[in-house]
Amino acid sequence: MNTKFILLCCFLLAARQLYSQSLPDVYGYRHLQTVFKGDTVDILIRSKKGDEQVPKPLFLFCQGSLPQPLVIRYDDNGRESIGNVFVFNPDSLAQHYHLAIISKAYVPLVADQKNLNPDFTYSDSTGQFPKQYLERYYLDYYVNRNIAVIRFLQRQPWISQNQLVVAGHSEGSTIAAKIASVFPRVTHLIYSGGNPQGRMLTMITRERTHETDSSSGVRAAFARWEKISADPQDMNSSFGDSYKVTNDFSIPPARYLNRLKIPVLVTFGTRDAGVPYIDLFHTEIIRQHKTNFTFKEYIGTEHNYFPLKSNGEPDYDIFNWDKVAEDWRTWLLSQR
């Protein structure tokens, strides 16, 4: 047999073994790495304590937009603390699943809050979002990367094959919906805080809510959409999101959702900008006599499930994410 071929096979086997090994834990989360198109991909896993090697199904959570580290350290009156990696407390779901979340490309896995921007995003030494991150910020990169991660995780002996849940919130809802539409191993989808008609209509709706008798940003939004539609593959991000990323996430996720025959849970706050389009999608699901969709609303809450005060501002003292996650768990158990 050709010696070069043998050496290549040995190298590939060693590489696979290398990226099948766990790294040191990160604040109670297992840290794994794999490679996708030459990029190192960081994955955090939450399992029930003591059940780390017990075979359970995979629950993959696709987070929303912005280059934020998964683990953000804070100085809590001289003591170190970290924010919620999954936004919600994952322990309830971890009774039944191994939960996975994937770091954004070329964004540190762990960072101190004092070194981040006010919105907790990461900027490099130039003061800008990392160039490598922006080059990979488009829908199909995340869809294909996440599918590669699923394949990697499902090769682990502690991941059972009988169920695969993909969930996503906000921008992550579109990623999750497209994954479910193209990857037949997905058995359940949770679509949270999304707009089935796409990002651009959410942006236009938000502009409508701020318009007055004399001013409106809607005309500018439509003018930008005309430019995006004329050059939808433009990756220039010098002035905000590239045309490509806005175009990609403005393709109506309803197209992906309508293909699905698996159980789908749609959750949303009724004061979110995308609600009219969720209601439109809901009416279409009923008209088509589809029975695999469940809709769960959180009355009076906004995009991240915070209730609104009388002045229209979110009440951040009332945290509903754990209730939402518990409702996800209840729904999943009802599907067994």
Side-chain angles (χ1 to χ4, degrees):
M1 185 178 291
N2 187 290
T3 303
K4 289 184 178 180
F5 177 76
I6 295 174
L7 290 174
L8 176 61
C9 290
C10 291
F11 172 78
L12 292 174
L13 178 61
R16 178 171 175 177
Q17 290 175 340
L18 170 66
Y19 286 108
S20 295
Q21 294 176 356
S22 297
L23 298 169
D25 284 0
V26 176
Y27 294 97
Y29 292 83
R30 274 187 286 178
H31 179 199
L32 281 71
Q33 285 184 335
T34 188
V35 171
F36 174 70
K37 291 187 174 180
D39 296 336
T40 299
V41 180
D42 289 293
I43 310 156
L44 292 184
I45 304 290
R46 185 67 162 196
S47 303
K48 180 182 176 183
K49 189 172 182 181
D51 283 3
E52 290 83 0
Q53 300 304 319
V54 175
K56 293 182 182 181
L58 176 63
F59 182 111
L60 175 66
F61 181 67
C62 307
Q63 71 270 40
S65 58
L66 300 180
Q68 297 174 335
L70 288 184
V71 180
I72 300 177
R73 292 185 294 225
Y74 299 84
D75 182 352
D76 184 12
N77 295 319
R79 299 178 60 185
E80 182 181 87
S81 63
I82 66 167
N84 285 338
V85 172
F86 281 91
V87 184
F88 52 87
N89 186 330
D91 291 344
S92 175
L93 285 160
Q95 297 286 327
H96 315 283
Y97 301 93
H98 295 294
L99 280 76
I101 190 168
I102 308 168
S103 184
K104 294 293 179 72
Y106 291 88
V107 173
L109 179 66
V110 182
D112 292 320
Q113 181 266 332
K114 64 183 179 181
N115 296 328
L116 300 174
N117 300 316
D119 59 357
F120 307 111
T121 54
Y122 170 77
S123 296
D124 61 19
S125 59
T126 69
Q128 305 296 320
F129 293 163
K131 179 175 179 290
Q132 298 97 323
Y133 160 80
L134 294 171
E135 290 172 345
R136 291 156 179 79
Y137 182 27
Y138 56 92
L139 178 59
D140 282 346
Y141 176 86
Y142 283 110
V143 168
N144 294 329
R145 183 203 63 173
N146 289 9
I147 289 173
V149 168
I150 291 170
R151 292 182 186 276
F152 162 72
L153 290 175
Q154 289 197 321
R155 291 198 298 267
Q156 310 310 312
W158 40 270
I159 294 292
S160 65
Q161 309 296 316
N162 61 318
Q163 195 180 37
L164 169 59
V165 181
V166 176
H169 178 69
S170 191
E171 180 177 283
S173 69
T174 300
I175 297 169
K178 189 164 187 182
I179 290 172
S181 74
V182 301
F183 191 58
R185 293 187 192 176
V186 178
T187 62
H188 297 77
L189 171 68
I190 297 174
Y191 181 86
S192 168
N195 181 342
Q197 291 303 315
R199 175 176 293 184
M200 197 66 214
L201 278 169
T202 296
M203 296 167 65
I204 291 169
T205 301
R206 287 174 177 162
E207 291 296 341
R208 289 290 188 201
T209 62
H210 295 107
E211 65 184 359
T212 65
D213 292 341
S214 58
S215 67
S216 173
V218 172
R219 183 175 297 176
F222 274 108
R224 176 171 173 77
W225 181 239
E226 287 182 2
K227 293 179 180 177
I228 291 170
S229 297
D231 194 4
Q233 299 304 309
D234 186 353
M235 287 291 290
N236 181 10
S237 55
S238 302
F239 304 100
D241 285 348
S242 70
Y243 288 0
K244 179 171 176 57
V245 73
T246 302
N247 178 77
D248 283 2
F249 284 97
S250 295
I251 296 170
R255 299 182 188 179
Y256 314 131
L257 295 167
N258 272 322
R259 301 174 192 168
L260 301 177
K261 299 183 187 293
I262 62 173
V264 179
L265 175 63
V266 179
T267 62
F268 58 97
T270 61
R271 300 294 296 275
D272 196 358
V275 164
Y277 308 103
I278 294 175
D279 291 341
L280 171 64
F281 180 70
H282 195 171
T283 61
E284 283 297 298
I285 291 300
I286 293 172
R287 186 183 64 79
Q288 296 174 41
H289 306 290
K290 292 190 174 183
T291 59
N292 59 314
F293 284 82
T294 302
F295 292 82
K296 174 69 175 176
E297 63 185 20
Y298 296 83
I299 296 174
T301 67
E302 45 84 81
H303 186 58
N304 285 300
Y305 303 109
F306 291 102
L308 297 183
K309 300 177 183 178
S310 58
N311 64 0
E313 295 295 319
D315 186 349
Y316 293 115
D317 291 331
I318 302 177
F319 184 78
N320 286 316
W321 260 112
D322 291 344
K323 172 177 169 40
V324 173
E326 178 60 23
D327 289 343
W328 292 357
R329 185 182 78 93
T330 300
W331 176 77
L332 285 167
L333 291 177
S334 75
Q335 300 301 309
R336 289 186 169 183

